[in-house]
Each structure stands twice: as structure tokens, then as C-alpha cells.
Short mmCIF file of all heavy atoms in Angstrom, two decimals:
data_model
loop_
_atom_site.label_atom_id
_atom_site.label_comp_id
_atom_site.label_asym_id
_atom_site.label_seq_id
_atom_site.Cartn_x
_atom_site.Cartn_y
_atom_site.Cartn_z
N VAL E 21 3.93 -10.83 6.67
CA VAL E 21 3.31 -9.66 6.04
C VAL E 21 2.31 -10.11 4.99
O VAL E 21 2.64 -10.87 4.10
CB VAL E 21 4.39 -8.77 5.38
CG1 VAL E 21 3.73 -7.62 4.64
CG2 VAL E 21 5.37 -8.26 6.42
N ASN E 22 1.09 -9.67 5.15
CA ASN E 22 0.07 -9.96 4.13
C ASN E 22 0.20 -8.94 3.01
O ASN E 22 -0.06 -7.77 3.20
CB ASN E 22 -1.31 -9.87 4.78
CG ASN E 22 -2.40 -10.24 3.78
OD1 ASN E 22 -2.14 -10.44 2.60
ND2 ASN E 22 -3.62 -10.34 4.27
N GLU E 23 0.62 -9.41 1.85
CA GLU E 23 0.88 -8.50 0.74
C GLU E 23 -0.34 -8.30 -0.16
O GLU E 23 -0.27 -7.60 -1.15
CB GLU E 23 2.05 -9.02 -0.10
CG GLU E 23 3.35 -9.10 0.69
CD GLU E 23 4.50 -9.54 -0.20
OE1 GLU E 23 4.34 -9.52 -1.43
OE2 GLU E 23 5.55 -9.89 0.34
N SER E 24 -1.45 -8.90 0.24
CA SER E 24 -2.63 -8.88 -0.62
C SER E 24 -3.10 -7.46 -0.92
O SER E 24 -3.55 -7.17 -2.02
CB SER E 24 -3.77 -9.65 0.04
OG SER E 24 -3.40 -10.98 0.26
N TYR E 25 -3.01 -6.58 0.06
CA TYR E 25 -3.58 -5.24 -0.11
C TYR E 25 -2.52 -4.15 -0.22
O TYR E 25 -2.86 -2.98 -0.28
CB TYR E 25 -4.51 -4.93 1.06
CG TYR E 25 -5.68 -5.88 1.13
CD1 TYR E 25 -5.73 -6.88 2.08
CD2 TYR E 25 -6.73 -5.78 0.20
CE1 TYR E 25 -6.81 -7.77 2.13
CE2 TYR E 25 -7.79 -6.66 0.24
CZ TYR E 25 -7.82 -7.64 1.21
OH TYR E 25 -8.88 -8.50 1.26
N THR E 26 -1.26 -4.55 -0.22
CA THR E 26 -0.22 -3.53 -0.18
C THR E 26 -0.17 -2.70 -1.45
O THR E 26 0.23 -1.54 -1.40
CB THR E 26 1.16 -4.15 0.08
OG1 THR E 26 1.38 -5.17 -0.87
CG2 THR E 26 1.27 -4.69 1.47
N THR E 27 -0.55 -3.29 -2.59
CA THR E 27 -0.55 -2.50 -3.82
C THR E 27 -1.81 -1.67 -3.96
O THR E 27 -1.86 -0.76 -4.76
CB THR E 27 -0.41 -3.41 -5.07
OG1 THR E 27 -1.48 -4.34 -5.06
CG2 THR E 27 0.91 -4.13 -5.06
N GLN E 28 -2.82 -2.00 -3.15
CA GLN E 28 -4.12 -1.33 -3.29
C GLN E 28 -4.35 -0.27 -2.23
O GLN E 28 -5.19 0.61 -2.40
CB GLN E 28 -5.26 -2.35 -3.18
CG GLN E 28 -5.19 -3.41 -4.26
CD GLN E 28 -6.27 -4.44 -4.08
OE1 GLN E 28 -7.31 -4.18 -3.51
NE2 GLN E 28 -6.02 -5.64 -4.57
N THR E 29 -3.62 -0.38 -1.13
CA THR E 29 -3.82 0.55 -0.04
C THR E 29 -2.94 1.78 -0.22
O THR E 29 -1.74 1.67 -0.46
CB THR E 29 -3.48 -0.12 1.29
OG1 THR E 29 -4.26 -1.29 1.43
CG2 THR E 29 -3.78 0.82 2.46
N CYS E 30 -3.52 2.96 -0.11
CA CYS E 30 -2.77 4.19 -0.22
C CYS E 30 -1.81 4.31 0.97
O CYS E 30 -2.24 4.21 2.12
CB CYS E 30 -3.74 5.38 -0.22
SG CYS E 30 -2.91 6.98 -0.20
N SER E 31 -0.52 4.51 0.68
CA SER E 31 0.46 4.58 1.76
C SER E 31 0.40 5.93 2.47
O SER E 31 1.05 6.13 3.49
CB SER E 31 1.87 4.34 1.20
OG SER E 31 2.22 5.33 0.25
N TYR E 32 -0.38 6.86 1.90
CA TYR E 32 -0.49 8.18 2.51
C TYR E 32 -1.71 8.27 3.43
O TYR E 32 -1.59 8.69 4.59
CB TYR E 32 -0.59 9.25 1.42
CG TYR E 32 -0.58 10.66 1.96
CD1 TYR E 32 0.62 11.25 2.37
CD2 TYR E 32 -1.75 11.40 2.05
CE1 TYR E 32 0.63 12.54 2.88
CE2 TYR E 32 -1.75 12.69 2.55
CZ TYR E 32 -0.55 13.26 2.96
OH TYR E 32 -0.55 14.53 3.46
N CYS E 33 -2.87 7.86 2.95
CA CYS E 33 -4.09 7.97 3.77
C CYS E 33 -4.57 6.60 4.25
O CYS E 33 -5.52 6.52 5.02
CB CYS E 33 -5.20 8.69 3.00
SG CYS E 33 -5.89 7.76 1.62
N HIS E 34 -3.91 5.53 3.80
CA HIS E 34 -4.17 4.17 4.27
C HIS E 34 -5.59 3.68 3.98
O HIS E 34 -6.13 2.88 4.71
CB HIS E 34 -3.86 4.04 5.77
CG HIS E 34 -2.45 4.43 6.10
ND1 HIS E 34 -1.35 3.70 5.70
CD2 HIS E 34 -1.96 5.51 6.76
CE1 HIS E 34 -0.26 4.31 6.13
NE2 HIS E 34 -0.59 5.40 6.76
N LYS E 35 -6.17 4.22 2.91
CA LYS E 35 -7.46 3.72 2.48
C LYS E 35 -7.27 2.91 1.19
O LYS E 35 -6.36 3.17 0.42
CB LYS E 35 -8.43 4.88 2.22
CG LYS E 35 -8.82 5.59 3.50
CD LYS E 35 -9.70 6.79 3.20
CE LYS E 35 -10.09 7.50 4.49
NZ LYS E 35 -10.78 8.78 4.25
N ILE E 36 -8.14 1.93 1.01
CA ILE E 36 -8.12 1.19 -0.25
C ILE E 36 -8.99 1.96 -1.23
O ILE E 36 -10.21 1.96 -1.15
CB ILE E 36 -8.64 -0.25 -0.05
CG1 ILE E 36 -7.73 -0.99 0.93
CG2 ILE E 36 -8.70 -0.97 -1.40
CD1 ILE E 36 -8.20 -2.40 1.25
N SER E 37 -8.32 2.64 -2.16
CA SER E 37 -9.01 3.54 -3.06
C SER E 37 -9.75 2.78 -4.15
O SER E 37 -9.33 1.71 -4.58
CB SER E 37 -7.99 4.48 -3.70
OG SER E 37 -8.59 5.20 -4.75
N ASP E 38 -10.84 3.34 -4.63
CA ASP E 38 -11.56 2.75 -5.75
C ASP E 38 -10.71 2.74 -7.01
O ASP E 38 -10.93 1.93 -7.91
CB ASP E 38 -12.85 3.55 -6.02
CG ASP E 38 -13.87 3.34 -4.92
OD1 ASP E 38 -13.77 2.34 -4.20
OD2 ASP E 38 -14.76 4.19 -4.78
N SER E 39 -9.72 3.64 -7.07
CA SER E 39 -8.90 3.75 -8.28
C SER E 39 -7.63 2.90 -8.20
O SER E 39 -6.85 2.88 -9.14
CB SER E 39 -8.53 5.22 -8.51
OG SER E 39 -7.74 5.69 -7.43
N SER E 40 -7.43 2.21 -7.09
CA SER E 40 -6.22 1.43 -6.93
C SER E 40 -6.25 0.18 -7.81
O SER E 40 -7.32 -0.31 -8.16
CB SER E 40 -6.05 1.01 -5.47
OG SER E 40 -7.07 0.13 -5.07
N PRO E 41 -5.07 -0.32 -8.17
CA PRO E 41 -5.01 -1.52 -9.03
C PRO E 41 -5.53 -2.75 -8.30
O PRO E 41 -5.20 -2.98 -7.15
CB PRO E 41 -3.52 -1.64 -9.34
CG PRO E 41 -2.83 -0.94 -8.23
CD PRO E 41 -3.75 0.17 -7.81
N LYS E 42 -6.34 -3.53 -8.98
CA LYS E 42 -6.93 -4.72 -8.36
C LYS E 42 -6.75 -5.94 -9.27
O LYS E 42 -6.84 -5.83 -10.48
CB LYS E 42 -8.42 -4.52 -8.10
CG LYS E 42 -8.73 -3.45 -7.07
CD LYS E 42 -10.23 -3.35 -6.86
CE LYS E 42 -10.55 -2.27 -5.83
NZ LYS E 42 -10.20 -0.93 -6.32
N GLY E 43 -6.50 -7.07 -8.65
CA GLY E 43 -6.49 -8.34 -9.36
C GLY E 43 -5.44 -8.43 -10.44
O GLY E 43 -4.41 -7.77 -10.38
N ARG E 44 -5.71 -9.26 -11.45
CA ARG E 44 -4.73 -9.51 -12.50
C ARG E 44 -4.47 -8.25 -13.31
O ARG E 44 -3.35 -7.99 -13.71
CB ARG E 44 -5.23 -10.63 -13.40
CG ARG E 44 -5.34 -11.95 -12.69
CD ARG E 44 -6.00 -12.98 -13.57
NE ARG E 44 -5.16 -13.34 -14.72
CZ ARG E 44 -4.26 -14.31 -14.69
NH1 ARG E 44 -4.08 -15.03 -13.63
NH2 ARG E 44 -3.54 -14.58 -15.75
N ALA E 45 -5.49 -7.47 -13.56
CA ALA E 45 -5.33 -6.25 -14.35
C ALA E 45 -4.43 -5.27 -13.62
O ALA E 45 -3.64 -4.55 -14.23
CB ALA E 45 -6.69 -5.61 -14.63
N GLY E 46 -4.51 -5.28 -12.28
CA GLY E 46 -3.73 -4.36 -11.48
C GLY E 46 -2.24 -4.60 -11.60
O GLY E 46 -1.44 -3.68 -11.40
N LEU E 47 -1.85 -5.82 -11.93
CA LEU E 47 -0.43 -6.13 -12.02
C LEU E 47 0.23 -5.42 -13.19
O LEU E 47 1.43 -5.24 -13.23
CB LEU E 47 -0.25 -7.66 -12.18
CG LEU E 47 -0.71 -8.48 -10.98
CD1 LEU E 47 -0.57 -9.97 -11.29
CD2 LEU E 47 0.12 -8.15 -9.74
N ARG E 48 -0.57 -5.01 -14.16
CA ARG E 48 -0.02 -4.33 -15.34
C ARG E 48 0.08 -2.83 -15.12
O ARG E 48 0.68 -2.12 -15.93
CB ARG E 48 -0.92 -4.59 -16.55
CG ARG E 48 -0.89 -6.04 -17.01
CD ARG E 48 -2.04 -6.29 -17.99
NE ARG E 48 -1.95 -7.65 -18.55
CZ ARG E 48 -1.47 -7.90 -19.77
NH1 ARG E 48 -1.10 -6.92 -20.55
NH2 ARG E 48 -1.40 -9.14 -20.21
N ILE E 49 -0.55 -2.32 -14.06
CA ILE E 49 -0.58 -0.89 -13.83
C ILE E 49 0.68 -0.45 -13.10
O ILE E 49 1.02 -0.99 -12.05
CB ILE E 49 -1.83 -0.50 -13.01
CG1 ILE E 49 -3.10 -0.88 -13.78
CG2 ILE E 49 -1.82 0.98 -12.67
CD1 ILE E 49 -4.37 -0.70 -12.98
N ARG E 50 1.40 0.53 -13.66
CA ARG E 50 2.64 1.00 -13.04
C ARG E 50 2.37 1.95 -11.88
O ARG E 50 3.10 1.98 -10.91
CB ARG E 50 3.51 1.71 -14.08
CG ARG E 50 4.17 0.79 -15.07
CD ARG E 50 5.14 -0.17 -14.37
NE ARG E 50 6.09 0.58 -13.53
CZ ARG E 50 6.75 0.06 -12.51
NH1 ARG E 50 6.54 -1.18 -12.18
NH2 ARG E 50 7.60 0.78 -11.82
N GLY E 51 1.34 2.74 -12.04
CA GLY E 51 1.04 3.71 -11.00
C GLY E 51 -0.44 4.05 -11.00
O GLY E 51 -1.15 3.73 -11.94
N TRP E 52 -0.89 4.67 -9.93
CA TRP E 52 -2.29 5.03 -9.82
C TRP E 52 -2.43 6.22 -8.90
O TRP E 52 -1.55 6.51 -8.09
CB TRP E 52 -3.12 3.85 -9.32
CG TRP E 52 -2.63 3.24 -8.04
CD1 TRP E 52 -1.62 2.34 -7.92
CD2 TRP E 52 -3.10 3.50 -6.71
NE1 TRP E 52 -1.44 2.03 -6.58
CE2 TRP E 52 -2.34 2.71 -5.82
CE3 TRP E 52 -4.11 4.32 -6.18
CZ2 TRP E 52 -2.54 2.72 -4.43
CZ3 TRP E 52 -4.32 4.33 -4.81
CH2 TRP E 52 -3.54 3.53 -3.96
N THR E 53 -3.56 6.92 -9.03
CA THR E 53 -3.83 8.07 -8.18
C THR E 53 -4.92 7.72 -7.18
O THR E 53 -5.97 7.22 -7.57
CB THR E 53 -4.28 9.27 -9.03
OG1 THR E 53 -3.24 9.58 -9.96
CG2 THR E 53 -4.52 10.48 -8.14
N CYS E 54 -4.65 7.95 -5.91
CA CYS E 54 -5.63 7.67 -4.87
C CYS E 54 -6.83 8.59 -5.03
O CYS E 54 -6.68 9.81 -5.11
CB CYS E 54 -4.99 7.86 -3.49
SG CYS E 54 -6.15 7.64 -2.13
N ALA E 55 -8.03 7.99 -5.08
CA ALA E 55 -9.24 8.79 -5.23
C ALA E 55 -9.60 9.51 -3.93
O ALA E 55 -10.38 10.46 -3.93
CB ALA E 55 -10.40 7.89 -5.66
N GLU E 56 -9.04 9.06 -2.81
CA GLU E 56 -9.37 9.63 -1.51
C GLU E 56 -8.58 10.92 -1.25
O GLU E 56 -9.13 11.92 -0.82
CB GLU E 56 -9.09 8.62 -0.41
CG GLU E 56 -9.89 7.34 -0.52
CD GLU E 56 -11.36 7.57 -0.19
OE1 GLU E 56 -11.68 8.56 0.46
OE2 GLU E 56 -12.19 6.74 -0.61
N CYS E 57 -7.25 10.86 -1.48
CA CYS E 57 -6.41 12.01 -1.14
C CYS E 57 -5.70 12.61 -2.34
O CYS E 57 -5.05 13.64 -2.22
CB CYS E 57 -5.39 11.61 -0.06
SG CYS E 57 -4.13 10.44 -0.62
N GLY E 58 -5.82 11.97 -3.51
CA GLY E 58 -5.26 12.54 -4.73
C GLY E 58 -3.76 12.32 -4.91
O GLY E 58 -3.16 12.85 -5.83
N THR E 59 -3.16 11.53 -4.03
CA THR E 59 -1.73 11.26 -4.13
C THR E 59 -1.45 10.24 -5.23
O THR E 59 -2.13 9.22 -5.32
CB THR E 59 -1.21 10.70 -2.78
OG1 THR E 59 -1.46 11.66 -1.76
CG2 THR E 59 0.29 10.43 -2.85
N TRP E 60 -0.43 10.53 -6.07
CA TRP E 60 -0.04 9.57 -7.10
C TRP E 60 0.96 8.59 -6.52
O TRP E 60 1.89 8.99 -5.82
CB TRP E 60 0.57 10.29 -8.30
CG TRP E 60 0.82 9.33 -9.44
CD1 TRP E 60 -0.05 9.00 -10.42
CD2 TRP E 60 2.02 8.60 -9.69
NE1 TRP E 60 0.55 8.08 -11.26
CE2 TRP E 60 1.80 7.82 -10.84
CE3 TRP E 60 3.27 8.51 -9.04
CZ2 TRP E 60 2.78 6.97 -11.36
CZ3 TRP E 60 4.23 7.66 -9.55
CH2 TRP E 60 4.00 6.91 -10.70
N HIS E 61 0.73 7.31 -6.81
CA HIS E 61 1.63 6.27 -6.31
C HIS E 61 2.22 5.45 -7.44
O HIS E 61 1.48 5.02 -8.34
CB HIS E 61 0.86 5.31 -5.39
CG HIS E 61 0.26 5.96 -4.19
ND1 HIS E 61 1.02 6.46 -3.17
CD2 HIS E 61 -1.03 6.21 -3.85
CE1 HIS E 61 0.20 6.98 -2.25
NE2 HIS E 61 -1.03 6.85 -2.64
N ASP E 62 3.53 5.22 -7.38
CA ASP E 62 4.12 4.13 -8.15
C ASP E 62 3.71 2.85 -7.45
O ASP E 62 3.84 2.74 -6.23
CB ASP E 62 5.65 4.27 -8.17
CG ASP E 62 6.30 3.13 -8.95
OD1 ASP E 62 6.41 2.03 -8.40
OD2 ASP E 62 6.70 3.38 -10.10
N ARG E 63 3.19 1.90 -8.19
CA ARG E 63 2.62 0.69 -7.59
C ARG E 63 3.62 -0.02 -6.67
O ARG E 63 3.29 -0.40 -5.55
CB ARG E 63 2.17 -0.27 -8.70
CG ARG E 63 1.40 -1.46 -8.20
CD ARG E 63 0.91 -2.31 -9.35
NE ARG E 63 2.02 -2.93 -10.06
CZ ARG E 63 2.55 -4.12 -9.72
NH1 ARG E 63 2.05 -4.78 -8.72
NH2 ARG E 63 3.54 -4.63 -10.39
N ASP E 64 4.85 -0.20 -7.18
CA ASP E 64 5.84 -0.94 -6.41
C ASP E 64 6.33 -0.17 -5.19
O ASP E 64 6.53 -0.73 -4.12
CB ASP E 64 7.04 -1.30 -7.29
CG ASP E 64 6.65 -2.31 -8.36
OD1 ASP E 64 5.68 -3.05 -8.14
OD2 ASP E 64 7.32 -2.35 -9.40
N ILE E 65 6.52 1.13 -5.35
CA ILE E 65 6.99 1.96 -4.23
C ILE E 65 5.92 2.04 -3.16
O ILE E 65 6.20 1.93 -1.97
CB ILE E 65 7.39 3.37 -4.72
CG1 ILE E 65 8.64 3.26 -5.61
CG2 ILE E 65 7.66 4.30 -3.53
CD1 ILE E 65 9.05 4.58 -6.25
N ASN E 66 4.66 2.20 -3.59
CA ASN E 66 3.57 2.23 -2.62
C ASN E 66 3.48 0.92 -1.84
O ASN E 66 3.32 0.93 -0.62
CB ASN E 66 2.25 2.49 -3.37
CG ASN E 66 1.08 2.64 -2.42
OD1 ASN E 66 1.05 3.53 -1.58
ND2 ASN E 66 0.10 1.76 -2.54
N ALA E 67 3.64 -0.20 -2.55
CA ALA E 67 3.60 -1.50 -1.88
C ALA E 67 4.74 -1.62 -0.88
O ALA E 67 4.55 -2.12 0.24
CB ALA E 67 3.68 -2.62 -2.92
N ALA E 68 5.92 -1.16 -1.27
CA ALA E 68 7.07 -1.23 -0.38
C ALA E 68 6.85 -0.41 0.88
O ALA E 68 7.18 -0.84 1.99
CB ALA E 68 8.33 -0.74 -1.11
N LYS E 69 6.26 0.78 0.71
CA LYS E 69 5.97 1.62 1.87
C LYS E 69 4.98 0.94 2.81
O LYS E 69 5.12 0.98 4.03
CB LYS E 69 5.39 2.97 1.41
CG LYS E 69 6.43 3.90 0.82
CD LYS E 69 5.77 5.22 0.44
CE LYS E 69 6.78 6.18 -0.16
NZ LYS E 69 6.14 7.43 -0.60
N ASN E 70 3.96 0.31 2.23
CA ASN E 70 2.96 -0.37 3.05
C ASN E 70 3.55 -1.58 3.77
O ASN E 70 3.24 -1.82 4.93
CB ASN E 70 1.77 -0.78 2.19
CG ASN E 70 0.90 0.39 1.81
OD1 ASN E 70 0.79 1.34 2.58
ND2 ASN E 70 0.30 0.36 0.65
N ILE E 71 4.40 -2.33 3.08
CA ILE E 71 5.04 -3.48 3.71
C ILE E 71 5.93 -3.01 4.85
O ILE E 71 5.95 -3.60 5.93
CB ILE E 71 5.86 -4.28 2.67
CG1 ILE E 71 4.91 -4.97 1.68
CG2 ILE E 71 6.75 -5.32 3.36
CD1 ILE E 71 5.62 -5.56 0.48
N LEU E 72 6.65 -1.93 4.63
CA LEU E 72 7.51 -1.37 5.66
C LEU E 72 6.70 -0.92 6.86
O LEU E 72 7.06 -1.17 8.01
CB LEU E 72 8.29 -0.17 5.08
CG LEU E 72 9.36 0.44 5.99
CD1 LEU E 72 10.48 -0.56 6.23
CD2 LEU E 72 9.92 1.70 5.36
N ALA E 73 5.57 -0.28 6.60
CA ALA E 73 4.71 0.20 7.68
C ALA E 73 4.18 -0.97 8.51
O ALA E 73 4.16 -0.91 9.74
CB ALA E 73 3.54 1.00 7.11
N VAL E 74 3.78 -2.05 7.85
CA VAL E 74 3.30 -3.24 8.55
C VAL E 74 4.42 -3.83 9.39
O VAL E 74 4.23 -4.22 10.54
CB VAL E 74 2.75 -4.28 7.56
CG1 VAL E 74 2.44 -5.60 8.27
CG2 VAL E 74 1.50 -3.77 6.87
N GLY E 75 5.63 -3.88 8.81
CA GLY E 75 6.78 -4.42 9.53
C GLY E 75 7.10 -3.61 10.77
O GLY E 75 7.39 -4.16 11.82
N LEU E 76 7.03 -2.30 10.65
CA LEU E 76 7.33 -1.42 11.78
C LEU E 76 6.29 -1.58 12.88
O LEU E 76 6.60 -1.55 14.06
CB LEU E 76 7.40 0.04 11.32
CG LEU E 76 8.62 0.39 10.47
CD1 LEU E 76 8.50 1.82 9.97
CD2 LEU E 76 9.91 0.23 11.27
N ASP E 77 5.03 -1.76 12.47
CA ASP E 77 3.97 -1.99 13.46
C ASP E 77 4.24 -3.25 14.25
O ASP E 77 4.09 -3.27 15.48
CB ASP E 77 2.61 -2.12 12.76
CG ASP E 77 2.05 -0.76 12.36
OD1 ASP E 77 2.59 0.25 12.85
OD2 ASP E 77 1.09 -0.71 11.59
N ARG E 78 4.64 -4.31 13.57
CA ARG E 78 4.91 -5.57 14.25
C ARG E 78 6.12 -5.44 15.16
O ARG E 78 6.16 -6.02 16.24
CB ARG E 78 5.13 -6.69 13.23
CG ARG E 78 3.86 -7.04 12.49
CD ARG E 78 4.01 -8.30 11.69
NE ARG E 78 2.78 -8.59 10.97
CZ ARG E 78 2.66 -9.60 10.10
NH1 ARG E 78 3.69 -10.35 9.83
NH2 ARG E 78 1.51 -9.81 9.51
N LEU E 79 7.10 -4.69 14.71
CA LEU E 79 8.31 -4.48 15.51
C LEU E 79 7.95 -3.74 16.79
O LEU E 79 8.40 -4.09 17.88
CB LEU E 79 9.33 -3.67 14.69
CG LEU E 79 10.76 -3.65 15.21
CD1 LEU E 79 11.35 -5.06 15.17
CD2 LEU E 79 11.61 -2.71 14.38
N ALA E 80 7.11 -2.72 16.66
CA ALA E 80 6.71 -1.93 17.82
C ALA E 80 5.93 -2.77 18.81
O ALA E 80 6.12 -2.66 20.02
CB ALA E 80 5.85 -0.73 17.36
N VAL E 81 5.09 -3.67 18.30
CA VAL E 81 4.32 -4.55 19.16
C VAL E 81 5.24 -5.53 19.89
O VAL E 81 5.01 -5.87 21.05
CB VAL E 81 3.24 -5.31 18.36
CG1 VAL E 81 2.60 -6.41 19.20
CG2 VAL E 81 2.19 -4.35 17.85
N GLY E 82 6.30 -5.97 19.16
CA GLY E 82 7.18 -6.99 19.70
C GLY E 82 8.11 -6.49 20.79
O GLY E 82 8.67 -7.28 21.54
N ILE E 83 8.28 -5.17 20.87
CA ILE E 83 9.18 -4.61 21.88
C ILE E 83 8.38 -4.18 23.11
O ILE E 83 7.55 -3.28 23.01
CB ILE E 83 9.96 -3.40 21.32
CG1 ILE E 83 10.79 -3.84 20.11
CG2 ILE E 83 10.84 -2.77 22.40
CD1 ILE E 83 11.46 -2.67 19.39
N PRO E 84 8.57 -4.84 24.24
CA PRO E 84 7.82 -4.47 25.46
C PRO E 84 8.25 -3.10 25.98
O PRO E 84 9.44 -2.80 26.04
CB PRO E 84 8.19 -5.58 26.46
CG PRO E 84 9.51 -6.10 25.98
CD PRO E 84 9.51 -5.93 24.48
N SER E 85 7.28 -2.28 26.31
CA SER E 85 7.60 -0.97 26.85
C SER E 85 8.01 -1.10 28.32
O SER E 85 7.36 -1.80 29.10
CB SER E 85 6.38 -0.05 26.73
OG SER E 85 5.26 -0.63 27.36
N VAL E 86 9.07 -0.45 28.68
CA VAL E 86 9.60 -0.56 30.03
C VAL E 86 9.03 0.57 30.90
O VAL E 86 9.12 1.71 30.50
CB VAL E 86 11.14 -0.48 30.04
CG1 VAL E 86 11.66 -0.54 31.48
CG2 VAL E 86 11.71 -1.60 29.20
ZN1 LIG K 179 -4.80 8.22 -0.40
#
């Protein structure tokens, strides 16, 4: 799982918002509001949702459809 963008990508609309936390300064931010859809995210919870979504995608790819 590439965690580089998980804190920056909106788990609701899946866009990297201009208002999302970035770089070293972003690590201090507890939460942010997506500029695209207006959803408020807790930084850690949003990252967890994105990591989960990536994991589920890989799981779906790994299971051959019969
Ligand atoms: Zn959004």
C-alpha cells in the first residue's frame, strides 16, 4: 500500500484536495475539509479509509472471477 497520498486524498470523492494536508506541515493537522466536496475528514481516519479501499481493490483483483 502506497501511503504517500492516503492523508491527502479525500476518502469520499477520491480527489486530492487543495486544502488537504501536505508534507511536514500536514503531519500536524488533525483534520481538514475537502475543497472538492466539502466533507470534513479526521486525518487519521481518512487515511485509514483510503488504505482500506486500496487493500480491497487489490483483494478484488487477486480473486479470479469464475
Ligand atoms: Zn472530497
Side-chain angles (χ1 to χ4, degrees):
V21 175
N22 184 353
E23 298 184 13
S24 300
Y25 298 105
T26 53
T27 57
Q28 300 177 26
T29 304
C30 175
S31 61
Y32 186 77
C33 70
H34 303 292
K35 291 176 180 171
I36 298 177
S37 170
D38 290 339
S39 63
S40 66
K42 294 181 180 66
R44 295 173 68 89
L47 295 176
R48 292 166 174 258
I49 299 173
R50 286 297 308 157
W52 54 278
T53 301
C54 176
E56 299 289 340
C57 68
T59 301
W60 187 89
H61 300 291
D62 179 283
R63 188 176 66 88
D64 292 336
I65 292 175
N66 184 60
K69 285 182 180 176
N70 285 328
I71 290 170
L72 187 65
V74 172
L76 289 175
D77 282 347
R78 291 191 181 175
L79 195 64
V81 170
I83 300 173
S85 56
V86 178

